[in-house]
Amino acid sequence: SEIDMLCNLSSLYFQKNDTTGISYTSEAYAKAKQDKYMPGLYRASVNISNYLFNQRRFKEALTYLKEGELIASDLNYVIEMQYLYSFLGDIYAALNNPIEAENNYKKSIIDLPQTSSYDKIYARLCYSIFLIQQKRYQESINRLNETRKLSKEWKVTTFEKEIALNLSYAYERLGEYNKALSEYKLFDSIKEIQLNTEKEKEFSILDLKYKV
């Protein structure tokens, strides 16, 4: 239970972009290793990898993530595999290894029934961004349009802004400026709506605190 709580704390700090959370996941990793608690070791290794990736310590991040991948395979964590392949793709891309990156991205978009719709969309977005980085703009546009279609079908709205922004960039690179502008306007509109929603949420919290 202590290991699980430490993992939860580290995940919360990560979502807040607070790097101090790595101390919680490092402690969880050490305890899980000592106790041979494999579910906790899986979570801790992936959490550490996330922190290291954001610190641009890509080789270290890869070491922990490969350990997490091995544990997930041993524990039959099928539900985690598409996310893990996406993350591996991101790390290999950051390490300037496009062949390994694409191998993992291609595996990440093979949908498994156990995978959440969120992870399926996320995997496709990661692959699309990689294609832009490789200057394969038309392929990226095709992937992004497919991702947008599936997002609507599966009612996953989380990545609408990122889809529009990357489509805008890809169209601009191909000289299709009207489409690029249209997508950027959509990106700006979604961003404004999200900012207003966040402000309303903050005001609601303040109002509730005042009433209490």
Side-chain angles (χ1 to χ4, degrees):
S1 296
E2 185 182 0
I3 292 165
D4 289 336
M5 284 188 281
L6 286 165
C7 287
N8 289 340
L9 276 169
S10 74
S11 296
L12 288 168
Y13 275 95
F14 185 78
Q15 288 170 28
K16 288 164 61 66
N17 294 315
D18 187 335
T19 57
T20 58
I22 196 170
S23 63
Y24 293 107
T25 198
S26 297
E27 188 180 348
Y29 180 87
K31 288 178 182 294
K33 201 98 168 172
Q34 181 183 335
D35 295 350
K36 295 182 171 58
Y37 175 47
M38 303 316 286
L41 189 59
Y42 166 73
R43 289 186 64 195
S45 60
V46 173
N47 282 357
I48 290 174
S49 187
N50 271 301
Y51 278 105
L52 293 172
F53 183 84
N54 281 3
Q55 293 172 14
R56 304 187 64 79
R57 294 159 62 183
F58 303 124
K59 287 184 179 178
E60 293 170 80
L62 181 60
T63 300
Y64 281 100
L65 192 61
K66 291 294 284 183
E67 182 178 10
E69 181 193 14
L70 188 62
I71 296 167
S73 178
D74 288 344
L75 295 175
N76 199 28
Y77 280 1
V78 180
I79 195 170
E80 296 289 305
M81 297 314 295
Q82 283 190 244
Y83 162 72
L84 288 172
Y85 289 136
S86 297
F87 195 3
L88 282 166
D90 288 346
I91 294 178
Y92 280 118
L95 288 169
N96 294 315
N97 188 339
I99 294 172
E100 272 303 317
E102 187 152 21
N103 284 340
N104 280 283
Y105 285 129
K106 283 181 175 177
K107 286 192 279 188
S108 79
I109 60 171
I110 298 171
D111 290 334
L112 303 167
Q114 298 93 330
T115 308
S116 69
S117 297
Y118 177 97
D119 281 347
K120 290 174 184 176
I121 297 299
Y122 177 75
R124 286 167 169 80
L125 178 61
C126 289
Y127 188 21
S128 301
I129 292 170
F130 167 77
L131 291 171
I132 287 175
Q133 292 167 350
Q134 297 297 304
K135 300 183 179 180
R136 291 156 62 183
Y137 302 118
Q138 190 57 57
E139 286 180 72
S140 179
I141 288 166
N142 295 342
R143 287 278 172 202
L144 287 164
N145 281 325
E146 178 205 20
T147 306
R148 176 178 280 167
K149 181 184 173 188
L150 291 172
S151 295
K152 289 176 181 175
E153 282 180 21
W154 297 337
K155 296 180 173 56
V156 178
T157 60
T158 313
F159 303 110
E160 286 178 328
K161 185 175 67 174
E162 287 77 12
I163 291 169
L165 181 62
N166 284 286
L167 272 170
S168 175
Y169 183 81
Y171 279 127
E172 189 267 335
R173 294 286 92 190
L174 289 176
E176 298 186 46
Y177 300 116
N178 287 336
K179 288 181 179 178
L181 180 61
S182 175
E183 290 294 343
Y184 193 83
K185 284 180 177 177
L186 177 59
F187 158 76
D188 201 46
S189 168
I190 296 168
K191 186 173 77 169
E192 189 67 28
I193 290 167
Q194 287 179 352
L195 283 172
N196 288 336
T197 303
E198 281 300 314
K199 283 178 186 174
E200 285 176 20
K201 194 187 293 181
E202 285 174 18
F203 282 128
S204 296
I205 292 168
L206 286 170
D207 185 51
L208 178 62
K209 284 181 178 177
Y210 172 74
K211 286 173 181 173
V212 170

